[in-house]
Amino acid sequence: SREEKEKRHKIRHNSSSAADALVKNSKLSAAAPEFVPGCYASFQGHYPEPSLADFVQDFVSHLNSSPGSLESEINYITDTLNSCVTTEEILQELVELIYVQSTSIPNFAYTGARLCNHLSHHIRLSPASGNFRQLLLQRCRTEYERREQAVRGDPGTQKRFHSYVLFLGELYLNLEIKSGKDTPGRANVLLGALKDLLNALFSHPDDPNLMCAVKLLKLSGSILDDTWKEKGQSDMDEVIEKIEDILIDAKCSRDVRQMLLKLLELQSSNWGRVHTAAVSSDATPDNDPNYFMNEPTFYTTDGMPFTAADPEYSDKYQEILDREDYFPDAYEENENDSFCGDEDEMDPEIEEAFERFCMESDARRKK
């Protein structure tokens, strides 16, 4: 109607007048910077600056999905960390973050250990409490001191402890300690720790603990054996004797018994290495075609052999470790179920090997 049209016109006129008054009296400037809430502002724009935890999680996730990118990305990662690790508290946070990632993400232990080695030489901050390497070893010692309780813990506790043990094995192989010598050495403190961890695993010889011990020895057994022999120690002989006792007395499953027998066979063959003359101390992969002759030979799922000379060695070796996990999560969740069903008999080949082992062990004990 005509009255309604006049009313709407009056409202629009009044609104326009009010808006003109607001603009006329406003103290805002068209040249003022754009408003951004403080919690989202950063010096590089209007996005929140990532925390140290976010940055570590992002680059660890990237390295885990692309392990081969470590060499190309490590300088950027180190520079970024050096720019933000400015206090003792932040350095301790960084150590904890990388330790947790290395012991909780499947298949990251090897890359995590290599990452730790690089950071131990390139993180500049070194407070009175210790540098990156010292703080990392202190963190590892915390878990080491819980070993007796961990091997007897619930499945979750055991699983976390086993991840720690394998990470420590990788750390022993990859963490370089630089001294006055030309060639960096390994951390002797880890050598003793690994022996104690093996003893702890053997002190409670259930299947998960024995599987962890086998994986650790397959990973580092040749290096441990050589190092102990160089020091004139018989530690590996003691380890092998414990395994023999477990094979005779412990009630482990058929599959774990098979793993232990294969491990003894591997150790007796010098960890699969070729028996040749010692490699010259100044030999390198470039000047000596036999440089990798004494490296263990492994096989992929399709039967192709490879050694440490293979450019994809780390990825292929990790596949072997994954393949040897005879007990998937489904089995862990049903501990009362028999892994082998109603049949728990050994294969003829394994049974023959076990009988031969028992006879040889008995003969040695009678001597």
Side-chain angles (χ1 to χ4, degrees):
S1 64
R2 182 176 181 180
E3 293 180 355
E4 291 176 348
K5 290 181 180 179
E6 290 178 353
K7 185 183 293 185
R8 285 197 295 271
H9 176 73
K10 186 175 182 180
I11 291 173
R12 285 197 297 269
H13 175 74
N14 291 339
S15 298
S16 176
S17 300
D20 292 341
L22 286 172
V23 171
K24 184 177 181 180
N25 297 324
S26 174
K27 296 181 181 180
L28 296 175
S29 170
E34 179 185 0
F35 170 73
V36 179
C39 60
Y40 290 99
S42 74
F43 65 92
Q44 289 184 334
H46 305 319
Y47 297 98
E49 190 174 351
S51 65
L52 177 63
D54 292 333
F55 178 68
V56 170
Q57 184 174 357
D58 285 347
F59 77 68
V60 165
S61 177
H62 172 66
L63 293 178
N64 191 44
S65 60
S66 304
S69 65
L70 178 63
E71 287 78 7
S72 60
E73 301 287 348
I74 192 62
N75 289 333
Y76 163 73
I77 293 171
T78 306
D79 291 343
T80 304
L81 290 176
N82 273 320
S83 68
C84 61
V85 177
T86 55
T87 67
E88 177 181 346
E89 291 74 17
I90 298 177
L91 179 60
Q92 290 177 338
E93 180 186 2
L94 173 64
V95 169
E96 179 67 18
L97 287 168
I98 292 181
Y99 171 85
V100 170
Q101 299 280 5
S102 299
T103 57
S104 60
I105 298 180
N107 307 333
F108 190 68
Y110 169 69
T111 303
R114 294 175 62 208
L115 173 66
C116 288
N117 177 58
H118 182 88
L119 296 181
S120 71
H121 299 297
H122 294 89
I123 291 295
R124 292 191 293 268
L125 187 68
S126 181
S129 60
N131 56 30
F132 180 91
R133 175 175 56 83
Q134 293 166 332
L135 293 177
L136 175 65
L137 292 178
Q138 290 175 23
R139 180 62 181 88
C140 291
R141 183 175 180 83
T142 301
E143 296 300 320
Y144 165 82
E145 292 174 346
R146 300 171 182 165
R147 62 191 183 281
E148 299 298 339
Q149 296 79 22
V151 296
R152 293 169 173 80
D154 58 54
T157 300
Q158 280 192 338
K159 188 173 184 178
R160 288 189 295 273
F161 177 69
H162 296 159
S163 296
Y164 156 74
V165 170
L166 296 179
F167 171 65
L168 210 68
E170 293 284 10
L171 202 59
Y172 177 68
L173 298 181
N174 291 280
L175 186 62
E176 298 176 336
I177 308 298
K178 294 183 178 179
S179 60
K181 301 178 181 179
D182 294 334
T183 304
R186 292 190 171 89
N188 285 327
V189 65
L190 295 181
L191 178 66
L194 291 174
K195 172 67 182 304
D196 292 340
L197 292 173
L198 283 169
N199 287 337
L201 292 167
F202 292 142
S203 70
H204 190 67
D206 59 11
D207 283 355
N209 282 336
L210 293 177
M211 289 171 58
C212 178
V214 169
K215 287 183 177 182
L216 176 61
L217 288 169
K218 283 190 173 183
L219 171 68
S220 60
S222 61
I223 302 299
L224 294 175
D225 201 351
D226 291 346
T227 306
W228 282 328
K229 286 178 180 177
E230 289 173 3
K231 295 177 178 292
Q233 301 172 196
S234 58
D235 295 61
M236 185 56 71
D237 293 336
E238 296 173 10
V239 169
I240 297 303
E241 186 176 342
K242 287 180 182 294
I243 295 175
E244 292 174 344
D245 291 339
I246 288 171
L247 279 168
I248 293 173
D249 302 326
K251 296 180 179 179
C252 53
S253 71
R254 180 184 65 179
D255 293 282
V256 171
R257 190 179 299 275
Q258 179 179 353
M259 291 174 68
L260 292 170
L261 286 168
K262 287 185 175 180
L263 179 66
L264 291 181
E265 182 180 349
L266 180 66
Q267 189 273 337
S268 65
S269 66
N270 193 27
W271 304 100
R273 296 177 291 189
V274 179
H275 296 275
T276 62
V279 179
S280 173
S281 59
D282 58 353
T284 68
D286 296 327
N287 63 28
D288 186 350
N290 297 318
Y291 183 83
F292 290 105
M293 182 67 72
N294 278 328
E295 292 292 333
T297 300
F298 304 97
Y299 295 87
T300 62
T301 52
D302 54 1
M304 296 297 294
F306 69 94
T307 67
D310 195 306
E312 299 178 353
Y313 167 78
S314 60
D315 295 337
K316 292 180 178 179
Y317 185 74
Q318 188 58 58
E319 289 179 7
I320 291 179
L321 293 180
D322 297 341
R323 212 164 61 231
E324 290 175 351
D325 188 358
Y326 289 99
F327 296 88
D329 293 338
Y331 172 65
E332 293 177 359
E333 296 172 358
N334 298 277
E335 295 181 53
N336 296 326
D337 295 340
S338 172
F339 178 67
C340 302
D342 295 330
E343 299 179 0
D344 197 27
E345 298 180 358
M346 291 185 183
D347 294 333
E349 182 180 351
I350 299 302
E351 185 174 7
E352 180 181 352
F354 181 63
E355 289 178 355
R356 185 170 62 253
F357 159 75
C358 291
M359 293 174 62
E360 293 174 355
S361 298
D362 188 54
R364 284 197 300 269
R365 293 184 179 185
K366 288 180 179 180
K367 289 181 180 180

